[in-house]
Amino acid sequence: MSATEPPENGPPDSSDVPHGISDADAFRILWEMKMKKRQRQPSLPETVTQLTTEEGSKVYIVGTAHFSDSSKQDVVKTIQEVQPDVVVVELCQYRVSMLKMDEETLLKEAKEINLEKLHQAIKQNGVMSGLMQMLLLKVSAHITQQLGMAPGGEFREAFKEASKVPFCKFHLGDRPIPVTFKRAIAALSFWQKLKLAWGLCSLSDPISEDDVEKCKQKDLLEQMMAEMIGEFPDLHRTIVSERDLYLTYMLKQAAKRIELPCTSEKPRKSIPSIVVGVVGMGHVPGIEKNWVNDVNIHEIMSVPPPSTLNKIVTIAVKVTFFGLLGYGCYCISKRTVRMILSVPATQYCLQRLNRMSL
């Protein structure tokens, strides 16, 4: 599955490895260095939840607030303490570009909601899902403008720190965003979609950094989720509960036993792995709940066909969008022609042509 493929494996730090030795010895030295740095009793932040697989692998889940400096620090400290074999983040391949973009570019991108982004979202996800994605981007842009902070900082820190750990792989652990949006749209009635769209469009309440940090408290977060469940239970199921299942599955896949690098034993010896997961705090309770269950993601990866009403609405939105676009182009071109005709040089040329035709 493409979401399990790392965009880049962390290269070993070879600065302390002697020159002129075999690859096998170099790998052994790097592995021993990693084991020495790995703390037997790691000192972990309060936001970290530890889980264990049946094979003995350990998974350290860092619950984060997506616009939080302290969350970035928690991620860095956890990776440095446990020296993981795999780092899994709550991203899919459609959002992986944010890992390598600098903060200034991301801040600018997050604030700009334009027709080009709308066209790209519709092309990628369909009309209804694309419009919903743009509304959610508007929410993200609102938070970005309020805090002056680009989203996804904890994921970028995880990517950087994973690259410093020898033999550490980096996995994308979230369900592809087009699947999530299409399932979310299909789960809502027409009036629920309108109500949700209106709520997102009217978002204007100021947000402080203290408000974001409070989201790391489970009691407040669960209260916020309960409010959303009461109003849009189907939306909660597709956007939160199903992704809890998907993240649980991906973390379990990442926590398979690993083979020791370049050992002479046949078959090669395998040991339990150490995994760090970086996810939003809202997903941690769901992952804990699903951890002991057998997780099957086949059902939550399918996209139901659109209803007749959805098809009608989609056609109406397309007609309206392209109609307004065409009318805008007509008005602009009409105004441009009038401006050109009003120029004295243009009038002189037209008069000369008229005389020549006579």
Side-chain angles (χ1 to χ4, degrees):
M1 191 173 296
S2 60
T4 64
E5 296 175 0
E8 182 177 324
N9 288 347
D13 182 4
S14 57
S15 57
D16 296 327
V17 178
H19 295 287
I21 64 174
S22 66
D23 289 343
D25 288 337
F27 279 120
R28 179 179 55 78
I29 292 172
L30 285 170
W31 182 260
E32 290 174 355
M33 289 168 53
K34 176 176 178 174
M35 291 300 103
K36 287 180 181 179
K37 290 182 180 179
R38 181 176 285 176
Q39 302 296 320
R40 291 184 177 276
Q41 297 295 330
S43 175
L44 299 174
E46 294 181 356
T47 54
V48 176
T49 300
Q50 181 179 336
L51 300 171
T52 307
T53 68
E54 294 178 355
E55 297 177 331
S57 297
K58 293 181 180 179
V59 179
Y60 299 91
I61 303 175
V62 188
T64 67
H66 293 315
F67 292 84
S68 167
D69 281 327
S70 64
S71 284
K72 292 190 284 187
Q73 296 167 8
D74 291 349
V75 169
V76 171
K77 181 175 177 59
T78 302
I79 293 176
Q80 289 177 348
E81 287 283 316
V82 306
Q83 292 290 295
D85 304 301
V86 185
V87 172
V88 181
V89 296
E90 185 198 329
L91 285 177
C92 69
Q93 64 267 37
Y94 292 91
R95 294 182 291 158
V96 73
S97 60
M98 72 163 53
L99 293 175
K100 296 184 178 181
M101 295 172 68
D102 60 83
E103 290 284 330
E104 185 177 347
T105 303
L106 277 166
L107 193 59
K108 182 179 178 181
E109 285 284 321
K111 290 180 179 179
E112 291 181 353
I113 305 297
N114 51 40
L115 282 175
E116 183 180 349
K117 285 188 177 181
L118 175 59
H119 179 262
Q120 186 64 30
I122 291 175
K123 183 179 178 181
Q124 185 180 92
N125 303 311
V127 174
M128 295 302 295
S129 299
L131 290 173
M132 189 61 65
Q133 182 179 350
M134 290 305 296
L135 288 173
L136 291 174
L137 281 176
K138 179 181 179 295
V139 175
S140 178
H142 173 66
I143 299 174
T144 298
Q145 290 171 344
Q146 292 283 315
L147 300 183
M149 183 186 300
E154 72 274 33
F155 303 137
R156 288 188 291 283
E157 290 298 325
F159 183 70
K160 293 175 187 176
E161 287 301 314
S163 69
K164 301 175 185 177
V165 180
F167 310 108
C168 182
K169 296 180 178 179
F170 190 91
H171 285 196
L172 305 175
D174 202 2
R175 183 172 64 179
I177 197 167
V179 176
T180 297
F181 276 120
K182 288 176 182 177
R183 287 184 62 84
I185 290 297
L188 296 176
S189 69
F190 176 72
W191 296 112
Q192 284 178 321
K193 292 170 188 173
L194 290 180
K195 187 176 182 181
L196 177 63
W198 174 255
L200 293 173
C201 285
S202 59
L203 179 70
S204 59
D205 294 336
I207 301 169
S208 68
E209 292 187 26
D210 289 339
D211 292 332
V212 175
E213 292 306 320
K214 287 177 183 178
C215 289
K216 296 169 72 175
Q217 303 173 12
K218 288 188 177 181
D219 55 341
L220 176 62
L221 190 62
E222 288 171 2
Q223 178 183 345
M224 292 168 61
M225 293 307 302
E227 292 175 1
M228 193 172 83
I229 290 171
E231 196 164 2
F232 301 107
D234 292 325
L235 191 67
H236 174 267
R237 174 176 55 81
T238 54
I239 291 183
V240 181
S241 299
E242 290 183 359
R243 289 173 61 226
D244 289 346
L245 277 172
Y246 192 92
L247 288 165
T248 303
Y249 175 84
M250 299 302 285
L251 286 166
K252 284 188 172 184
Q253 291 298 307
K256 299 291 185 182
R257 292 175 67 91
I258 61 169
E259 292 183 344
L260 290 175
C262 293
T263 59
S264 58
E265 299 179 19
K266 299 292 182 180
R268 288 167 64 176
K269 184 179 179 181
S270 66
I271 60 172
S273 60
I274 301 293
V275 177
V276 170
V278 182
V279 304
M281 179 60 79
H283 291 292
V284 176
I287 293 172
E288 287 186 276
K289 178 182 176 182
N290 293 311
W291 193 253
V292 296
N293 302 326
D294 292 329
V295 179
N296 186 347
I297 62 169
H298 178 73
E299 182 180 346
I300 63 172
M301 290 300 292
S302 62
V303 179
S307 64
T308 303
L309 180 59
N310 276 340
K311 290 179 181 178
I312 295 173
V313 172
T314 298
I315 293 172
V317 169
K318 283 184 176 180
V319 170
T320 303
F321 176 78
F322 288 110
L324 290 173
L325 184 63
Y327 180 72
C329 292
Y330 167 75
C331 291
I332 292 173
S333 60
K334 187 177 179 181
R335 189 177 303 170
T336 304
V337 170
R338 285 178 178 175
M339 288 177 62
I340 293 172
L341 291 176
S342 65
V343 175
T346 305
Q347 293 179 352
Y348 173 76
C349 291
L350 289 174
Q351 290 173 0
R352 291 290 302 271
L353 287 172
N354 187 41
R355 289 172 184 172
M356 290 174 64
S357 65
L358 295 174

